[in-house]
Every structure is written in C-alpha cells, then in structure tokens.
Amino acid sequence: ALAAFALCAPAQAPDVRVVGSPGGSYATIQQAVDAALDGDIVLVRAGTYPGPVVVDGKGLTIVADRQNVVAVAGPVVLQNTAAGQTIVLERIAANAVGDFTHGLTVRKCQGPVRIVGGEFRGDHGYNPYPEPPDSHPDGWAGVYVSNCDNVSLSGVKAYGGGGGDVWDWWQEYPTGAGGAGVFVRSTRVSLTGSEARGGYGGSCYDVANLDGGPGGDGLYTTGGTVYASGTRLAGGRGGHGGDAG
C-alpha cells in the first residue's frame, strides 16, 4: 500500500526563489541559481544585478517580475543540461561589454532552451588586450549558441560587439570584424519576432596600408539549422580603411 501511494503521489511543486527587494531571499541572481534545485523558478525583482550569471547542468526558469526587464551587468551562460531538463530565460537582459565574451552563451544543452524577451550585447574586440601579445580583434556575438539540441529565441534583441581598431603603434594587429548578432553552431534554433544586428568593423587610424574590418552578420550559422520568422536581421557597417583620421 505504501508503495502504491508513493507511485500515485503528486510531484513536488518547484520552489520559487525570489531575488531582490521587496521580499527577496537572495541579493544576486547567481546566489539564487546556486541554491536552486532542478525545476525551480528564480523570480527576479526589477533592477540591475551583477554578472556573470551561469546556469550549469540545471533545468531552471529565470524570469523577471511583473513584466519588467531585469538587467545583468555582465554575461549570461546556460550550459550542460540533460535531455530531460528545460531552461527558460524570460525578460532578462545581459550586457557583456568589458567582459571579453558574448552577451548570452548557450552551449551543450540537450534539453530545450527557451529565451523570451531580453536584450543581449556582446563585447567589443580589442587590439591588443590586455597587453601584447594577447589580442582579440573581433567582436563577440550578442547571442552565441553551440552544440545544443533545440533553442528558441522569441522577442529577443541581440547585438554583436564592434571590431577592434588599429592605430599606428599597433600595426602588427589586424582590424577586427564585428561580432554576429546571433551566432549558431550545430544547433536547431527558432528565431521569432526578434532583432539581430552585427557589430561594426574596426577602423584604421594613422595607418595607410590596412583595410577596415568587415561588419558582423546579423545571423551567422555553421552546421546548424535556423527557422526565422518576423525577425529583422541586419549586418554591421564595415570599418574605415587606410587612414580614417
């Protein structure tokens, strides 16, 4: 009888973990994510929160409260879920400028990933960073998706970072290409009611013999499949070649 009762007992309801005030138990989104169990809901009060926010191997719903858009000052990373786990990210914006990475990264997720609303900005390229010989001239993607099964983006704005410029004392470095608005690798992606814009290409200053960098693609895919509907895709402008000023 006990065994039969256990089989028929309803599944435990997910916990709702509230971030911010009023009434929140957690000061940051990452604190709530770390404490959450698979299937929990992270409800975020209006405000700006520190990044990065990393969801690793958990199926969670992270949602802004009361139709607000919550801002993360840094990147958001969703990764390493199993087939039975679902991640939902709703009305969360992430700005990775200054963090040397993409605005939103989704990678190695076997379960569905649903991104609803929000705005994501990739970092700009740098020539050089932080000092020679290190350099990353190309901009990062607004949204970067790699090796997942099924990812949907709805009502999302994604902006690639600009390419790195070249000045006369950096002539050994190339001008950078703009980052893609949305970059897709080996993943099925649905892109609806969204906007994706590539970053601008890097320019040359006080250097006469270099070309400007190309603007980034609104959408770039390699080995993946993308269904786009009601979505605006725009490439970034190219950089100035020769001596731009």
Side-chain angles (χ1 to χ4, degrees):
L2 290 176
F5 175 79
L7 290 173
C8 296
Q12 182 177 354
D15 285 337
V16 178
R17 302 178 185 271
V18 179
V19 179
S21 60
S25 300
Y26 305 93
T28 70
I29 300 173
Q30 191 62 54
Q31 288 174 354
V33 167
D34 291 342
L37 301 177
D38 201 60
D40 282 355
I41 298 170
V42 176
L43 178 65
V44 188
R45 304 296 193 200
T48 299
Y49 296 87
V53 173
V54 180
V55 179
D56 191 350
K58 294 181 181 181
L60 300 177
T61 295
I62 304 175
V63 58
D65 186 27
R66 298 181 183 275
Q67 301 302 312
N68 293 305
V69 175
V70 166
V72 175
V76 172
V77 179
L78 314 175
Q79 61 187 15
N80 298 327
T81 57
Q85 297 174 307
T86 298
I87 295 179
V88 177
L89 190 71
E90 187 168 349
R91 301 190 307 279
I92 306 295
N95 188 338
V97 174
D99 288 283
F100 307 132
T101 190
H102 314 293
L104 170 65
T105 297
V106 186
R107 59 191 175 206
K108 297 182 179 179
C109 289
Q110 297 181 39
V113 178
R114 306 284 179 255
I115 312 299
V116 182
E119 180 178 299
F120 304 97
R121 292 184 180 271
D123 197 6
H124 304 303
Y126 294 90
N127 260 332
Y129 94 84
E131 60 183 16
D134 296 316
S135 178
H136 191 291
D138 297 339
W140 280 264
V143 175
Y144 178 88
V145 182
S146 177
N147 295 292
C148 297
D149 182 66
N150 189 347
V151 175
S152 69
L153 307 169
S154 177
V156 166
K157 295 182 179 180
Y159 303 113
D165 296 326
V166 173
W167 298 78
D168 56 353
W169 57 91
W170 290 343
Q171 295 186 46
E172 68 271 29
Y173 294 96
T175 49
V182 175
F183 184 104
V184 176
R185 184 190 303 277
S186 302
T187 303
R188 289 182 297 141
V189 172
S190 172
L191 187 61
T192 59
S194 297
E195 178 182 347
R197 184 180 294 274
Y200 57 81
S203 293
C204 303
Y205 296 90
D206 300 326
V207 181
N209 60 346
L210 288 177
D211 295 330
D217 296 312
L219 169 65
Y220 182 88
T221 180
T222 174
T225 302
V226 178
Y227 169 80
S229 174
T231 292
R232 182 181 181 185
L233 304 174
R237 63 168 176 80
H240 298 286
D243 185 357

